[in-house]
Amino acid sequence: MMTHIVEVNGLTKSFGNVTAVDHVSFKVEANKIYGLLGRNGAGKTTIMHILSAQQFATSGELKVFGEAPYENSRVLNQICFIKESQKYPDGFRVMDVMEVAKSLYPDWDDAYAGALIADFRLPLKRKIKKLSRGMLSSVGIVVGLASRAPLTIFDEPYLGLDAVARALFYDRLLEDYAEYPRTVILSTHLIDEVSRLLEHVLVIDNGKLILNEDADALRGRACTVSGLATAVDAFSRGKEVLERQSIGAASTATILGFLSDHDRKEAESLGLEFAPVSLQQLIVHLTRTPLAGKGIEQA
Ligand SMILES: Nc1ncnc2c1ncn2[C@@H]1O[C@H](COP(=O)(O)OP(=O)(O)OP(=O)(O)O)[C@@H](O)[C@H]1O
């Protein structure tokens, strides 16, 4: 049985002299929630456009549900792609979007869509053009969830969405996913907010895949130690320190790598305190360096 629903090998996409996606290889397993993370312009949207056959790769191999996705209805029927700036035909009302979605997605659940519309307080008869920015995002989220597509891709789906609506999205996604497992790829900058949802993390930086790891494993990948600067110094020696901050005699160091029992005992004896590093902090650390030698010339 096929468990990888996406297989990408050496995927590259260039726009003139900009390499938006640079030899990226990864696999996506069925029935998992993936976070596709990275800074602005990293190449996330381009990858999602290629997976959903909205753009051609310049080179590399791509299989989605075991096949090339281009003009392939067997594959495309199984993908729902929700983007932040979705355009709808003039005059479309919320109910028209739902009707079209119903005809597009074989696993669409009308009753569930209705419940979500009520949850997100969407006025069915209102024209899409008259919706607020946040309501427009909610329309996309309702379509993405109710499509129950085997591969559902959300690209920054919540521009303008308030905190209550975002929490509703996360809760509904988790509940429905538990009942109807499918693969979700979520691209977002709100990493802390979605952190509990993610089972696997792909981090793209400047077109390259720099991290492809199970989210739980990643959560244990770094920690901060704090205490007296001299003790932090002694403990950090020989370890990979991502960040160091000092205030007076007190210091904090963010250390990459798993700490052994021996390390923990040493830290205790030095009077140091541990704290976990959030996924967001870790990713910020991993992607914060400037692009050496590239400046802003790349455009
Ligand atoms: N149609 C295009 N023509 C030229 N350059 C493009 C085009 N689409 C994307 N790019 C460039 O490719 C790079 C990756 O863009 P992409 O939209 O994939 O990034 P992203 O990770 O989704 O960013 P963000 O988080 O800001 O949405 C950027 O440098 C962007 O300027």
Side-chain angles (χ1 to χ4, degrees), residues 3-241:
T3 56
H4 289 128
I5 61 164
V6 173
E7 290 181 60
V8 160
N9 206 348
L11 194 74
T12 298
K13 175 74 182 179
S14 305
F15 297 102
N17 63 352
V18 176
T19 307
V21 179
D22 195 356
H23 290 89
V24 164
S25 303
F26 62 88
K27 290 177 181 168
V28 170
E29 281 178 36
N31 305 332
K32 261 196 180 178
I33 302 183
Y34 284 75
L36 183 59
L37 311 173
R39 293 178 59 175
N40 293 130
K44 304 177 297 293
T45 300
T46 307
I47 290 177
M48 292 183 281
H49 276 150
I50 295 172
L51 295 185
S52 53
Q54 297 176 55
Q55 273 177 3
F56 284 104
T58 306
S59 60
E61 290 163 27
L62 166 68
K63 275 190 188 165
V64 186
F65 296 105
E67 301 181 49
Y70 302 103
E71 293 181 16
N72 183 339
S73 58
R74 274 189 310 277
V75 173
L76 298 178
N77 271 341
Q78 301 188 67
I79 303 178
C80 177
F81 182 81
I82 302 297
K83 56 183 163 193
E84 171 222 294
S85 52
Q86 182 65 50
K87 301 270 185 294
Y88 298 97
D90 266 359
F92 252 44
R93 296 162 299 175
V94 173
M95 56 200 285
D96 301 321
V97 174
M98 298 301 145
E99 275 309 306
V100 171
K102 185 178 176 173
S103 68
L104 280 178
Y105 303 110
D107 297 311
W108 179 262
D109 185 328
D110 229 11
Y112 183 46
L116 290 168
I117 284 192
D119 281 343
F120 283 95
R121 301 182 174 177
L122 282 172
L124 265 181
K125 291 184 183 156
R126 196 169 302 169
K127 290 209 170 122
I128 293 287
K129 259 203 233 153
K130 302 265 164 80
L131 296 182
S132 72
R133 183 57 249 190
M135 286 164 130
L136 191 61
S137 294
S138 302
V139 171
I141 283 171
V142 171
V143 170
L145 290 175
S147 74
R148 295 221 174 104
L151 175 57
T152 306
I153 303 175
F154 288 104
D155 184 8
E156 282 286 342
Y158 24 51
L159 196 70
L161 216 57
D162 64 51
V164 176
R166 293 202 304 274
L168 193 61
F169 168 48
Y170 307 142
D171 290 346
R172 292 291 175 270
L173 174 60
L174 272 184
E175 286 160 16
D176 201 59
Y177 166 77
E179 212 175 326
Y180 299 91
R182 60 238 205 216
T183 303
V184 176
I185 301 179
L186 181 62
S187 162
T188 180
H189 295 288
L190 305 176
I191 303 172
D192 272 343
E193 280 194 14
V194 301
S195 168
R196 70 188 166 101
L197 266 64
L198 305 180
E199 295 175 86
H200 198 98
V201 173
L202 299 165
V203 179
I204 306 290
D205 195 32
N206 192 32
K208 293 197 168 68
L209 183 68
I210 61 160
L211 198 76
N212 177 0
E213 203 163 310
D214 182 82
D216 279 338
L218 205 52
R219 288 185 189 100
R221 271 274 295 265
C223 69
T224 61
V225 289
S226 49
L228 278 176
T230 47
V232 171
D233 272 345
F235 183 74
S236 312
R237 208 163 292 130
K239 298 190 175 66
E240 190 170 345
V241 177

Side-chain angles (χ1 to χ4, degrees), residues 39 205 242-243 281 283-291:
R39 293 178 59 175
D205 195 32
L242 291 176
E243 196 182 6
Q281 284 171 304
I283 288 163
V284 167
H285 282 307
L286 291 172
T287 57
R288 86 149 118 230
T289 47
L291 300 177

